[in-house]
Amino acid sequence: MSKNRSGTFIGGMLVGAAIGTITGLLVAPRSGRQTRKLLKKSVKALPEIAEDISSSVQMQADRLSESALENWDETLDRLREAIAAGIEATKLEREVLARQEREVAAESGEESQS
């Protein structure tokens, strides 16, 4: 879905740039010959412009991807730490409960002997 959106966006930018260029050239106060020369140069430059835009979009996507991976790694580290802390807390709680059960059992045994 994201690739489709970025492709549509880039396509729209290219079409908009082409329409804007053509409109600007046609409205400009130049002779027909000068305007046609300028149009030819502009049309020849479109593939280069498209390549530049594509490269720029790819670089931004790579940066976002790297950032997402770094955030994911940080999140995994925090999750591991939280799980380890939870396991440690569970062990301590079990020890406390076991000690309390032994104390209760010892008290019950003392009461039975009395």
Side-chain angles (χ1 to χ4, degrees):
M1 185 171 193
S2 178
K3 289 181 182 180
N4 188 21
R5 284 185 185 170
S6 62
T8 302
F9 176 74
I10 291 171
M13 275 186 31
L14 291 175
V15 169
I19 290 172
T21 301
I22 291 169
T23 303
L25 291 172
L26 293 174
V27 174
R30 291 190 176 89
S31 69
R33 181 177 294 157
Q34 289 175 334
T35 302
R36 284 189 296 275
K37 282 183 184 179
L38 206 50
L39 268 175
K40 286 179 184 178
K41 286 181 183 178
S42 296
V43 169
K44 287 179 182 177
L46 280 178
E48 187 177 322
I49 292 170
E51 186 177 329
D52 289 346
I53 291 172
S54 175
S55 297
S56 176
V57 168
Q58 184 62 43
M59 287 182 356
Q60 290 295 332
D62 290 345
R63 285 186 196 145
L64 285 173
S65 177
E66 289 173 14
S67 175
L69 287 175
E70 288 173 7
N71 288 339
W72 179 250
D73 289 341
E74 291 173 9
T75 301
L76 284 177
D77 289 342
R78 286 196 316 259
L79 183 59
R80 286 184 186 113
E81 290 172 5
I83 290 171
I87 290 171
E88 185 64 29
T90 301
K91 286 179 184 177
L92 291 174
E93 188 63 26
R94 282 183 182 169
E95 290 174 6
V96 168
L97 288 174
R99 190 172 343 131
Q100 288 174 348
E101 287 177 2
R102 286 191 299 269
E103 289 172 0
V104 168
E107 287 176 6
S108 295
E110 288 175 8
E111 288 176 6
S112 297
Q113 293 175 358
S114 300

